Amino acid sequence: AVLRVRHCRALVYCRRAPPRCPACGGDLRNAGLAAAPVRLHSPFRHGHGQPRAFLIRPTRGSFLDGYDGHCDLHVGITNSKGVVYNYDQEGVHRAGSGWEQSISIPLVQPDMWELLQHWDNLLEEFSLEEAWLPHRYQEQQHNCFTFALAFVNRVRQGRGRQPLSKAQFTESFLLPHTREASRYLTLHQQLAHRDFYIVPLAEQEQE
């Protein structure tokens, strides 16, 4: 867990709440509710427990175990049972494990009754199309992201909506989640080598 303590014009990030502020030495136990430790929400989810979602994970390893921000990422789409459909040079895989630490973007709202019922069939039929045969794979132009976004646009088309470009999908759906994950990873990496990570607050945030 990553905890955040607000005290003496700074945010103190730590694994365990200290009795005294590492920035000023003040007693935190009697500092009141404003200085109470807050546990930060992790941006990573067990992907197989995220039905009908767009998932992102490192191609190798996991986000919290050695990911440096530069390694390739892999994406997939889950069915209603959390099986991850993903595409690579070997074709389409239906993975029941391996996505235990993922960024998850839900794709279906609870009120989309018809889509909820037909999602699995749509995904399975889509994955069997010739476009996703192994020999069609190209690392830059026809890859896992191509597969996932094409399915998202197939669903949008079925609901009478315009398709999204890669840039539009990235800006609207991916960036808010990946930015949050990046901030959390920065804190995680800082706390791997020290007990505290202190961020001074700007004057307007101190009020």
Side-chain angles (χ1 to χ4, degrees):
V2 176
L3 304 177
R4 182 186 66 213
V5 177
R6 183 176 179 137
H7 194 257
C8 69
R9 301 178 181 178
L11 295 177
V12 179
Y13 296 93
C14 51
R15 297 289 188 189
R16 294 182 180 179
R20 307 193 74 82
C21 175
C24 72
D27 189 348
L28 292 177
R29 289 167 295 192
N30 300 311
L33 190 61
V38 176
R39 180 171 179 163
L40 296 190
H41 174 76
S42 172
F44 306 114
R45 296 283 175 272
H46 193 300
H48 301 289
Q50 305 294 314
R52 307 177 189 88
F54 184 106
L55 300 184
I56 308 171
R57 68 165 173 81
T59 301
R60 295 179 181 82
S62 64
F63 281 114
L64 294 177
D65 186 19
Y67 180 68
D68 61 2
H70 302 291
C71 301
D72 289 340
L73 297 173
H74 193 43
V75 305
I77 303 281
T78 55
N79 68 7
S80 65
K81 299 176 179 64
V83 175
V84 185
Y85 284 65
N86 59 102
Y87 177 61
D88 63 15
Q89 60 269 26
E90 298 176 356
V92 176
H93 301 269
R94 296 159 183 81
S97 63
W99 297 73
E100 288 78 13
Q101 196 183 101
S102 303
I103 298 171
S104 175
I105 297 99
L107 294 173
V108 182
Q109 301 301 318
D111 61 348
M112 298 178 178
W113 300 109
E114 186 175 354
L115 188 53
L116 289 169
Q117 297 299 317
H118 296 290
W119 183 268
D120 288 2
N121 287 336
L122 290 171
L123 184 54
E124 179 63 26
E125 290 171 6
F126 177 80
S127 71
L128 296 174
E129 293 179 3
E130 186 179 349
W132 316 117
L133 290 172
H135 71 273
R136 299 291 300 275
Y137 181 86
Q138 295 177 1
E139 187 173 353
Q140 299 299 325
Q141 302 297 329
H142 195 77
N143 52 31
C144 60
F145 194 97
T146 313
F147 171 82
L149 180 57
F151 179 70
V152 169
N153 280 330
R154 179 72 58 84
V155 171
R156 289 178 64 86
Q157 182 182 13
R159 295 176 58 79
R161 298 184 178 181
Q162 291 296 313
L164 296 169
S165 68
K166 183 176 180 178
Q168 288 171 325
F169 183 77
T170 299
E171 180 68 30
S172 298
F173 293 94
L174 300 191
L175 283 183
H177 293 271
T178 55
R179 284 171 179 153
E180 179 190 6
S182 179
R183 288 192 293 266
Y184 190 89
L185 276 174
T186 296
L187 295 173
H188 176 79
Q189 290 161 358
Q190 290 290 337
L191 293 175
H193 306 290
R194 63 184 78 177
D195 292 331
F196 307 106
Y197 179 57
I198 302 171
V199 179
L201 286 170
E203 284 190 21
Q204 59 268 29
E205 293 180 276
Q206 295 173 17
E207 300 300 327

